[in-house]
Amino acid sequence: MYKILIVEDSSSIRDELVVLLENNLYEVVAVTDFANILKKVEEVSPDLILLDIILPNINGIDICREIRQKNDTPIIFVTSKATTESELNAILIGGDDYITKPYNAAVLLARITSVLKRYGKGKNNTSYICKGCKLNLLDSTISYNGQSTELTKNELRICYNLFSKCGQIVPREYIIEDLWDNEMFIDDNTLSVNITRIRGKLKDIGVEDLIKTKRGIGYKI
């Protein structure tokens, strides 16, 4: 099930979108605190964001720009600003699609399906981008600014758990259980050793402090 984050200040439109998306089997989270939108994006880690431009005390264009500095989550602008200049600006700063209000429900659903398919969001992802680093599952590498480093099977699986949940704390137990399920022998101490090795490889390509340790809980990027 895909998770969609709605950033819309009109309560009537927001409620309408929630019903529409839930009826079409999407998991939906709606923002109501517009002072902490970026924090909500990190917490939810959505597969797609529906973003209005005119919001209380903040502009959707600025939000999109800041999100793009951290990850490549697809963003569809749903807004009443029906101008070519606004649409062009939204696409140039990283928006994936632009729909004007009042929208047609069927068209909106089709656009959502198209964007999700285009960016391969879901179980068939072959790469993940988080904070400027790209994890490529096909060739077991992490790349940054034109440099790349190869990962072992265990390191790749650990990085997959972290990159696929970018911005979230991933418990140590979750990673260990996932590796066990994939028939890779690993215990708590082995996990620590692998994390250290991954950090070393990241440092070799110019990346430091990407993986944060949340003491007693797990890791986060």
Side-chain angles (χ1 to χ4, degrees):
M1 182 181 290
Y2 292 112
K3 185 187 299 181
I4 296 179
L5 181 68
I6 298 172
V7 184
E8 165 63 62
D9 63 321
S10 167
S11 59
S12 59
I13 295 177
R14 187 169 62 239
D15 292 345
E16 179 183 277
L17 285 170
V18 169
V19 172
L20 173 67
L21 295 172
E22 288 183 342
N23 285 344
N24 283 272
L25 304 181
Y26 289 106
E27 181 181 349
V28 184
V29 178
V31 171
T32 55
D33 180 3
F34 298 94
N36 294 288
I37 296 173
L38 295 174
K39 181 180 179 181
K40 193 68 174 180
V41 171
E42 288 191 358
E43 290 176 353
V44 174
S45 189
D47 295 299
L48 182 142
I49 300 170
L50 296 182
L51 178 62
D52 195 2
I53 290 180
I54 303 172
L55 297 165
N57 303 315
I58 195 165
N59 188 290
I61 296 293
D62 294 330
I63 294 171
C64 180
R65 185 179 291 111
E66 292 191 48
I67 290 173
R68 281 293 170 264
Q69 293 176 2
K70 297 183 177 182
N71 62 63
D72 64 342
T73 303
I75 296 172
I76 296 178
F77 284 95
V78 182
T79 177
S80 58
K81 296 194 70 173
T83 66
T84 300
E85 181 182 0
S86 177
E87 181 174 356
L88 179 61
N89 192 26
I91 298 302
L92 289 176
I93 55 90
D96 297 285
D97 206 340
Y98 192 97
I99 298 175
T100 56
K101 304 172 187 173
Y103 57 83
N104 177 284
V107 171
L108 175 60
L109 290 171
R111 296 284 188 91
I112 290 172
T113 299
S114 176
V115 170
L116 287 171
K117 183 177 180 180
R118 187 192 319 159
Y119 286 88
K121 292 296 174 180
K123 294 182 179 180
N124 295 321
N125 269 13
T126 58
S127 66
Y128 294 84
I129 298 175
C130 186
K131 299 184 179 178
C133 292
K134 181 177 181 179
L135 175 68
N136 193 322
L137 303 182
L138 294 180
D139 61 7
S140 300
T141 62
I142 288 183
S143 57
Y144 178 76
N145 279 353
Q147 299 187 71
S148 65
T149 183
E150 293 186 2
L151 302 170
T152 66
K153 188 181 292 186
N154 278 9
E155 291 166 353
L156 177 65
R157 195 71 200 178
I158 292 167
C159 286
Y160 164 75
N161 278 285
L162 297 174
F163 273 74
S164 63
K165 296 175 177 60
C166 183
Q168 300 180 53
I169 298 175
V170 184
R172 294 175 66 93
E173 295 78 9
Y174 180 94
I175 299 174
I176 292 172
E177 288 176 7
D178 178 65
L179 289 165
W180 270 107
D181 287 343
N182 283 274
E183 299 179 350
M184 301 176 191
F185 176 75
I186 189 168
D187 58 19
D188 195 69
N189 183 61
T190 307
L191 176 58
S192 297
V193 171
N194 275 272
I195 290 289
T196 299
R197 288 176 179 165
I198 294 168
R199 284 172 171 156
K201 290 183 177 183
L202 287 169
K203 187 175 181 180
D204 289 341
I205 60 172
V207 182
E208 296 193 46
D209 299 325
L210 177 69
I211 301 176
K212 307 287 187 183
T213 299
K214 299 300 179 180
R215 193 167 300 279
I217 305 175
Y219 302 98
K220 174 184 177 181
I221 59 175

